[in-house]
Amino acid sequence: MVRDRKGSIMKKVLLGTTALAVASFVGAQQAKAQFEVTVGGYTEQKFGYASVDVDGANGDFDGFDVKSDSEIHFKAKQTLENGLTFGFEVQLEAESNTGDQIDESFLFVEGSFGQLLIGSENTAGYKMTYAAPDVGFVNVNSGDQTNWQPFIGLNAGFFRRVFGTTFIELDGNNDAQRLTYFTPRWNGLQIGASYTPDSAQDNQSQFAETRDFKNGFDIGANYVNTFSGVDVAISGRYGIADDDSSSGAATVPGSPGDVDTDSPELWSVGLNLGYAGVTIGGSYASADAQGVNTGRSYDAGISYETGPWGASFTYFHGEARGSLVNPGDDEQDSYQFSVTYAMGPGVLIEGNVTRSEFDDDGGIDEDVTYGLVGVKLSF
């Protein structure tokens, strides 16, 4: 009887332990995060021909070519019972020779208070900028010219710099790891702000206090509304950072303009007006105290969309110091006419003709004309 009692007690203990384990497992499953995970992205494939005339340098760059740009986007988000939505996004570059395999990677929290974002992503001012309307995905205000034009002798940067776009970032820090906050939109007005501790992207190192970029602050705002059938979109932004490196306040004696880099600044404005399918607009950007990338840029354009068809004409001008010793600036002027046709959801066909003129302050001039047909799939 004693033995049976012990066995009965042991059996009850085992059964109780098993029940607790099962209950814990079920509870864990019920408490498991219910994130909605999606995969999206895009691919752009373009076939075109470029005629390149370079004055002051050797080389024949005429010819046909195929250009590609593709990304895969992984997204996850979940809305909790308290109404807060938590999410994550990582963007994978499909072309691995860009030097940036992961384009952007960030976490966000959003609710009635607005949206808070932390990670590798563009600044608030950049994301809130409006510029000249453009119906296509091959744009002269985003640096597509570099795919077809050699830009021999160019000393200034192109990507996120005033020489190549009005969508600029301080010191060209595109997707640095930062904190960003966006307010809710109130009667058409929204405000955003970003803080960037350093220029690191995909880099977890602790940087020295005397680094060349620190404490970047960026604030932007835009206003979107419709009045008597006229769509209005206005944007503005300002950014400033510190450079505490030994070369931060360096200047070249006798060099024209503000070429130091101790406190890089930027500002920009943009405007779009639309009515009955027609949109006109433009933008202006200025970069100060950024060495060879000190300068300005602006664009203007008009577009028309009806049904699946769209057409636009865009002009872009960019200029930067380029050289700290040569007088004058590196300058480019680009003109683009585009026609698009939406074949179906996520399928866009584009044809365009572009003229780009580059004047290097070292004496090299380039005149380039290229035309292309491209397809973009968005999913």
Side-chain angles (χ1 to χ4, degrees):
M1 294 295 294
V2 174
R3 189 179 306 146
D4 289 341
R5 180 178 173 80
K6 278 188 175 181
S8 177
I9 291 174
M10 182 60 68
K11 184 179 294 184
K12 288 180 179 180
V13 170
L14 290 173
L15 288 173
T17 304
T18 303
L20 286 173
V22 171
S24 298
F25 176 77
V26 171
Q29 291 301 304
Q30 291 176 343
K32 185 178 180 181
Q34 300 298 313
F35 281 94
E36 176 188 352
V37 180
T38 59
V39 178
Y42 69 87
T43 182
E44 299 174 1
Q45 304 296 332
K46 296 151 280 190
F47 175 72
Y49 179 86
S51 175
V52 183
D53 181 15
V54 181
D55 180 21
N58 295 323
D60 184 359
F61 298 92
D62 293 357
F64 291 95
D65 205 354
V66 173
K67 314 292 185 181
S68 303
D69 181 22
S70 306
E71 292 185 2
I72 303 296
H73 299 169
F74 302 93
K75 303 179 181 180
K77 69 176 182 178
Q78 175 184 203
T79 300
L80 306 182
E81 292 182 358
N82 60 13
L84 293 178
T85 298
F86 286 78
F88 169 75
E89 181 172 339
V90 58
Q91 300 178 2
L92 175 67
E93 294 278 5
E95 278 70 48
S96 60
N97 67 344
T98 62
D100 185 17
Q101 188 68 67
I102 300 298
D103 183 15
E104 297 173 353
S105 176
F106 58 89
L107 176 151
F108 66 87
V109 184
E110 58 187 20
S112 59
F113 66 91
Q115 183 187 63
L116 178 65
L117 184 152
I118 179 170
S120 173
E121 170 64 301
N122 292 104
T123 59
Y126 170 94
K127 293 171 70 68
M128 303 182 84
T129 294
Y130 280 93
D134 191 333
V135 297
F137 52 88
V138 181
N139 319 111
V140 292
N141 191 0
S142 65
D144 183 72
Q145 303 92 304
T146 58
N147 290 328
W148 307 92
Q149 186 171 354
F151 286 100
I152 297 173
L154 177 64
N155 293 307
F158 209 104
F159 189 64
R160 300 295 177 252
R161 302 286 198 174
V162 287
F163 184 81
T165 184
T166 59
F167 292 88
I168 58 177
E169 295 282 25
L170 281 167
D171 276 351
N173 289 315
N174 183 48
D175 292 326
Q177 292 158 209
R178 53 174 55 99
L179 289 167
T180 296
Y181 169 69
F182 296 98
T183 69
R185 190 171 291 279
W186 300 303
N187 297 319
L189 176 66
Q190 186 177 38
I191 300 172
S194 296
Y195 170 64
T196 309
D198 52 57
S199 59
Q201 178 183 357
D202 306 330
N203 186 338
Q204 311 308 318
S205 300
Q206 185 69 12
F207 288 85
E209 181 67 14
T210 55
R211 55 189 180 270
D212 59 4
F213 181 95
K214 72 174 188 178
N215 297 333
F217 291 94
D218 185 277
I219 185 168
N222 63 31
Y223 176 78
V224 181
N225 216 327
T226 301
F227 301 95
S228 302
V230 178
D231 298 322
V232 178
I234 305 171
S235 66
R237 65 181 294 204
Y238 173 77
I240 189 169
D242 293 325
D243 181 350
D244 284 351
S245 64
S246 58
S247 60
T251 60
V252 176
S255 62
D258 180 12
V259 296
D260 66 276
T261 60
D262 61 335
S263 296
E265 292 182 82
L266 65 77
W267 63 272
S268 73
V269 292
L271 171 67
N272 276 191
L273 298 173
Y275 181 77
V278 177
T279 303
I280 60 173
S283 59
Y284 181 95
S286 175
D288 298 315
Q290 297 185 45
V292 297
N293 294 294
T294 297
R296 61 175 184 157
S297 57
Y298 49 87
D299 73 345
I302 182 172
S303 69
Y304 176 68
E305 295 181 81
T306 177
W309 291 96
S312 61
F313 176 80
T314 308
Y315 165 70
F316 173 80
H317 173 85
E319 61 183 74
R321 177 63 60 208
S323 170
L324 300 185
V325 293
N326 294 333
D329 296 330
D330 288 342
E331 297 187 26
Q332 72 145 320
D333 292 281
S334 295
Y335 313 80
Q336 184 176 79
F337 177 71
S338 302
V339 175
T340 59
Y341 179 74
M343 293 192 68
V347 181
L348 185 65
I349 310 297
E350 176 178 359
N352 74 50
V353 176
T354 303
R355 172 73 173 180
S356 181
E357 301 169 355
F358 167 51
D359 295 325
D360 168 50
D361 62 5
I364 298 176
D365 296 333
E366 292 178 7
D367 295 325
V368 179
T369 302
Y370 60 90
L372 61 86
V373 175
V375 180
K376 180 174 183 177
L377 306 182
S378 302
F379 59 95

